[in-house]
Amino acid sequence: MTQSAPARPLDWARAHLPIVHFLADSALWVVAIPAGVYLRYDFDTSRVWRSEVLLAVVVAVALQGTFGLLYGVYRRRWRYGSFDEVRMVGATALSVGIVMTVAWWGSGVGDGRAIPRSVPLLATGVCLLGQIAIRSIWRLYVESRRRPQGDDLERLLVVGAGEGGEQVLRTLMATPESPYVPVAIVDDDPAKRNLRLSGVRVEGRVDQLPDVATKRHASAVLIATPSEEGPFFRRVTDLAESAGLAVFVLPPVEQLLGGVDLGDIRPVAESDLLGRRPADIDTAAVAEYITGRRVMVTGAGGSIGSELCRQLARFEPAALFMLDRDESGLHGTQLSIEGRALLDDECLVLADIRDPQRIDEVFASAQPDVVFHAAALKHLPLLELHPGEGWKTNVCGTHYLLDAARRHGVERFVNVSTDKAADPSSVLGWTKRITERLTANAAAVGVTECLSVRFGNVLGSNGSVLPTFREQAANGGPLTVTDERVTRYFMTIEEASRLTIYAGAIGDPGEVLILDMGEPVSILAVAQRFAQQYDPPLDIVFTGLRHNEKLHEDLIGSDEVGECRVHEQITHVPVPPLTPEEVFEQQLGHDATPGVSPVTDVAQLAFIATAGLVHDEARAHVDSGH
């Protein structure tokens, strides 16, 4: 039988750390009390070896152990050297000193002058400083061992000395396997000049980023200001890219409640540069009309519709019906929510909103309480070529849904619109403007609370600018931009969906709710930044504005007036109603059945969308195509 090797002293110490800590703290009393006597009597060593001194040492050590156990110092309640432990160490030393001082002064032990009454006070101060010093030195040693080491580490220049910066620096400097090592901080707050966080100093303003990076040989920038918005990210990214530095970011602040982790650091994305931080919403108000209710989403296989489904599922509706004519889209949505996609759930509804009979069957079966209408044809140039398809899907399809919602007792109907509906000039804009007015009319005449939500371009949605640029880049370029002056509003899919859901909680029937999307972004600037990510940079070519396309979009039309009533970033705009008779009978002069004779001309769409809003001569001007 093999005999195990004797344990080494270091192994024994690690296994019995509370005893080691007690012995180290007690040693300070063993030294401090005789040293106090020695100093008090002008270096007279004969006084040190008296029995009273030995008694005082024994009492001090006993009290140290008693109070240390009582306060948890020797029961492993706190990590050695942590601030929590140091606080209890101080309480322990002070308790020992107070007891000894009272005993010496009250019992007359000190009257023999072997131990003057001042010695317990002096010894307490020495022990307190010594115990804290030992722990501080140990903590500094442990932290130095944890700091990332190596010549191949990414040298980070951290932007922001706030809470986000403090968290990420603490994480980076305590993670040996970290591939990053912070070397300097920049921050625009003058009060933080020369501030040190985890040993890293603030060395300048954000505008001095290139100079600081050169001085500290930084190879990358980490934007540690998760509460900032797109303009700040673009400013820092431009400075970093001019200095040849890679750029990393942290997630939004609401995702950092559990602290910063290495996995939170990621390369800057287009959404960081173009987007804005999501507006806060009252989740309790949303839950009140979603939780436990039967909810339907049309266009559930699309970009907005699928994200709506994902967010609505978190509010635990009684049933979530996902309707789309694209079976592959429904497959992807179910997979993203449930982690499987067997397509065997009755809540997956394969239907076309252009089929009124099928829509009526679906509503009769599902009996939804709330409907989010995200199904639409949205590609502007394609609809210019085929306006009849836009008419049948966007206008007729919305009419069928509104009619079914009224007849089957739907409580709320939220129509998803677009900024193209503000001062429209295209088939997409006119058809969506008509749907806004049809929705307002349904709110006026029916029991269903109907309203619309209007927002700009959605980052990453099917056919939007960023996926287009990625596809063009994958093919070697060039990137195509219609006009160097074109600007657009952008928001993330997540925020667009949040707003749409929130609209159902705060919007009044017949309104359009519009989110403040910040400043419009230059598409050319987006293309240039995207092109610079490749070596060599990709070419950019201009294709010219497409038919009826605007240079600049508007969120609120020139004839609209809105107000912020509930949320400072959400504008409520009243919409004049438009009856189905005005859309399908009086203006077209044919059978009232929508789609029998589809509109195939943008002038006709404009004529319908402005019904009852402009004088006859103005409408004739629109009808003439001017």
Side-chain angles (χ1 to χ4, degrees), residues 297 300 309 320-324 330 333-334 337-338 347-349:
V297 177
C309 292
L320 178 57
F321 297 96
M322 297 174 279
L323 184 150
D324 205 296
L330 289 175
T333 302
Q334 185 187 31
I337 295 175
E338 302 177 8
C347 287
L348 297 176
V349 181

Side-chain angles (χ1 to χ4, degrees), residues 18 337 365 406 504 555:
I337 295 175
S365 173
R406 177 185 57 79
L555 287 168

Side-chain angles (χ1 to χ4, degrees), residues 53 106 114 129 148 419 425 438 490 536 546:
V53 176
L129 292 176
D419 58 357
S425 63
L438 281 172
F490 285 96
R546 296 165 291 190

Side-chain angles (χ1 to χ4, degrees), residues 196-314:
R196 287 184 179 271
L197 299 176
S198 298
V200 184
R201 187 166 69 91
V202 177
E203 299 194 15
R205 303 185 309 275
V206 173
D207 289 339
Q208 297 173 305
L209 184 151
D211 295 334
V212 176
T214 300
K215 176 183 176 182
R216 292 299 179 186
H217 305 290
S219 55
V221 170
L222 172 61
I223 304 176
T225 53
S227 61
E228 292 287 352
E229 298 184 2
F232 180 81
F233 279 72
R234 293 196 293 272
R235 172 190 169 202
V236 175
T237 301
D238 289 341
L239 289 169
E241 290 179 348
S242 68
L245 305 172
V247 184
F248 299 95
V249 296
L250 293 178
V253 67
E254 64 271 10
Q255 299 178 21
L256 297 178
L257 297 180
V260 177
D261 189 77
L262 274 181
D264 294 325
I265 300 174
R266 57 172 174 77
V268 66
E270 295 89 348
S271 58
D272 300 310
L273 302 174
L274 302 179
R276 51 185 299 285
R277 293 303 174 196
D280 293 329
I281 67 171
D282 184 355
T283 55
V286 173
E288 186 177 347
Y289 87 102
I290 295 298
T291 302
R293 314 305 294 278
R294 299 172 69 82
V295 181
M296 177 181 291
V297 177
T298 72
S303 303
I304 294 294
S306 61
E307 181 61 27
L308 278 172
C309 292
R310 284 187 286 272
Q311 294 196 25
L312 287 166
R314 299 170 191 161

Side-chain angles (χ1 to χ4, degrees), residues 413-428:
F413 186 100
V414 181
N415 170 50
V416 176
S417 188
T418 170
D419 58 357
K420 308 295 187 296
D423 291 335
S425 63
S426 62
V427 171
L428 174 59

